[in-house]
Amino acid sequence: MSRIAGQLSFIFASALFVGALVATAQAKDKVKVGFIGPLTGGVSANGLGGRNSSDLAVKLRNADAKAKYEYELVVLDDECKPNVAVQVATKMAADKEIVAAATHYCSATAIATVDVYHKFGFPIIVWGAVLPDITYRAKYAEVHRVNGTMINQNDANAELISKIGFKNVAVIHDTTDYGKGHNEYFSKAFAKLGGKIVGTFGVTADQQDFTAELTQIKALNPEVIYFGGLTPIGVRIRSQMDKLGIKAVFDGTSGIVSDAFIQGLGPLAEGSFAFREGAPTEKLPGGKFFMENYAAQKYDNPPEAYGAFSFAAMDLILDSIEKVGPDRKKVIEELANVKERDSIVGKVTFDDHGQNTVAVITKYVVQDGKFVEWDDSEYATGKRKLPGQK
């Protein structure tokens, strides 16, 4: 063999060796995981933030050289509509290539789909919906939730309202399972503390005009109007309160903790209450890590209030697959054993119904165009007064 031929042979062999190393490094099995949330409609800001947050968890895992698998995220839109949610949940659960999913911001969609996930043996972790029945109505091994429930929210809500000194509250709630659940748990909690519900009004999720309900409420002269529903209706009700000259405090649930609420109302959002599971994102154990990595991806939408929970849900799913493999039954078994597991939202422990038992509730009030923690606000210190506050 000539010297040149020998060199070419060596170069060719070296290229094959390097190519083999690259091929080995890239030869990870591909595994599909899913995300479902409202990507269109009135609460799409929350769904898009949730989607991006699950996407971030997948991207960070794929960038980890130690990961056993390469993950692909399959995203479907439930539009915050139960009938649509059942369709997309069935589509996802029926796809055997998708191992598990982070699902649902809206309680109405989450509760509508639990039977589907159980039927297909498809493990999911709810990342935002708060209706207790999602985890507690049936004992489905496939269903888990990383955030707390509306029971925790409403206990904290009633306690704060009572502590401030408000005694008379009118309730407006949407007639979905979400709104009816909030009405039930708030009313019970407030009554236990000696408060009085002066009137309760159910409204439809797509209702535009609340003049009739608000006119009756104005005559009842409540100190607070409690609202159990989502941002789009909340914006309309608060706007129409102003037009009718109603000066009561607007007291919302986690369903209004969104930039869209403040953007939709402008100065009228000032002094509104809201309550949400977990600490503010920047104060979460992994909040700084999450926000820095989220910003680095340059997503078109912010993570919104439940983005960190979506990330935590997907991260738990990926951890489980890494440990037991891309097998639905094994992932379900692994999730059942989650106890005191570290996540960016804090410790996660699933009880025998798949519910995270570590429930921290943050109390918010809108101050100067932002959701501010109540204890850090000028309303809490007395520097500013809420409507009707002595």
Side-chain angles (χ1 to χ4, degrees), residues 180-227:
K180 289 187 288 187
H182 272 299
N183 170 43
E184 176 188 352
Y185 294 111
F186 174 78
S187 297
K188 286 181 179 178
F190 193 54
K192 284 182 180 178
L193 295 172
K196 182 180 180 182
I197 303 297
V198 297
T200 301
F201 302 84
V203 297
T204 62
D206 59 354
Q207 190 165 325
Q208 302 294 316
D209 185 4
F210 303 91
T211 303
E213 292 86 357
L214 289 173
T215 299
Q216 293 180 64
I217 288 172
K218 185 175 182 180
L220 295 170
N221 196 30
E223 298 162 300
V224 176
I225 293 180
Y226 171 90
F227 169 63

Side-chain angles (χ1 to χ4, degrees), residues 35 147 151 184 233 253 256 283 300 356 379:
F35 172 87
N147 56 287
I151 297 175
E184 176 188 352
I233 310 178
T253 66
I256 69 165
K283 293 185 178 181
D300 291 336
N356 183 12
Y379 292 100

Side-chain angles (χ1 to χ4, degrees), residues 12 47 71 81 97 99 143-144 172 191 209 232 246 249 305 371 386:
F12 180 70
Y71 295 95
K81 297 177 180 177
E97 291 187 3
V99 179
V143 178
H144 314 80
I172 302 179
D209 185 4
I246 298 174
V249 173
F371 281 105
L386 295 161

Side-chain angles (χ1 to χ4, degrees), residues 22 26 38 55 148 193 233 258 302 305 329 349 372 379:
V22 172
Q26 295 177 340
D55 177 72
L193 295 172
I233 310 178
S258 166
K329 288 184 178 179
T349 294
V372 176
Y379 292 100

Side-chain angles (χ1 to χ4, degrees), residues 36 76 84-95 113 116-117 119-120:
I36 300 177
L76 295 177
V84 176
V86 169
Q87 293 172 18
V88 297
T90 301
K91 179 180 179 180
M92 183 171 285
D95 186 342
T113 53
V116 173
Y117 300 131
K119 174 184 175 182
F120 284 93

Side-chain angles (χ1 to χ4, degrees), residues 80-320:
C80 196
K81 297 177 180 177
N83 61 324
V84 176
V86 169
Q87 293 172 18
V88 297
T90 301
K91 179 180 179 180
M92 183 171 285
D95 186 342
K96 297 298 184 182
E97 291 187 3
I98 303 175
V99 179
T103 62
H104 308 299
Y105 168 76
C106 298
S107 288
T109 58
I111 192 63
T113 53
V114 291
D115 292 339
V116 173
Y117 300 131
H118 176 60
K119 174 184 175 182
F120 284 93
F122 184 59
I124 61 102
I125 301 179
V126 172
W127 57 271
V130 296
L131 184 70
D133 282 358
I134 295 163
T135 43
Y136 289 122
R137 186 179 69 183
K139 199 172 182 179
Y140 287 158
E142 298 82 4
V143 178
H144 314 80
R145 175 165 39 194
V146 76
N147 56 287
T149 76
M150 61 176 61
I151 297 175
N152 313 108
Q153 266 189 52
N154 285 295
D155 285 345
N157 191 327
E159 183 180 351
L160 178 60
I161 295 298
S162 297
K163 184 178 179 180
I164 292 172
F166 295 127
K167 297 295 183 183
N168 301 307
V169 175
V171 173
I172 302 179
H173 66 88
D174 71 39
T175 51
T176 67
D177 288 329
Y178 177 81
K180 289 187 288 187
H182 272 299
N183 170 43
E184 176 188 352
Y185 294 111
F186 174 78
S187 297
K188 286 181 179 178
F190 193 54
K192 284 182 180 178
L193 295 172
K196 182 180 180 182
I197 303 297
V198 297
T200 301
F201 302 84
V203 297
T204 62
D206 59 354
Q207 190 165 325
Q208 302 294 316
D209 185 4
F210 303 91
T211 303
E213 292 86 357
L214 289 173
T215 299
Q216 293 180 64
I217 288 172
K218 185 175 182 180
L220 295 170
N221 196 30
E223 298 162 300
V224 176
I225 293 180
Y226 171 90
F227 169 63
L230 302 175
T231 294
I233 310 178
V235 169
R236 292 195 287 271
I237 289 173
R238 180 64 189 89
S239 296
Q240 292 171 37
M241 282 171 57
D242 184 64
K243 290 179 181 178
L244 291 171
I246 298 174
K247 301 298 183 183
V249 173
F250 187 80
D251 178 19
T253 66
S254 58
I256 69 165
V257 185
S258 166
D259 291 344
F261 179 78
I262 294 173
Q263 291 166 2
L265 286 170
L268 284 180
E270 182 73 20
S272 296
F273 283 131
F275 300 78
R276 196 205 70 181
E277 299 78 17
T281 302
E282 64 274 11
K283 293 185 178 181
L284 292 170
K288 185 173 184 289
F289 165 85
F290 171 69
M291 294 304 295
E292 287 178 351
N293 281 278
Y294 193 98
Q297 294 298 323
K298 300 187 185 302
Y299 292 115
D300 291 336
N301 311 87
E304 291 288 355
Y306 283 86
F309 289 97
S310 177
F311 180 97
M314 182 56 66
D315 209 40
L316 275 171
I317 288 169
L318 301 178
D319 283 345
S320 299

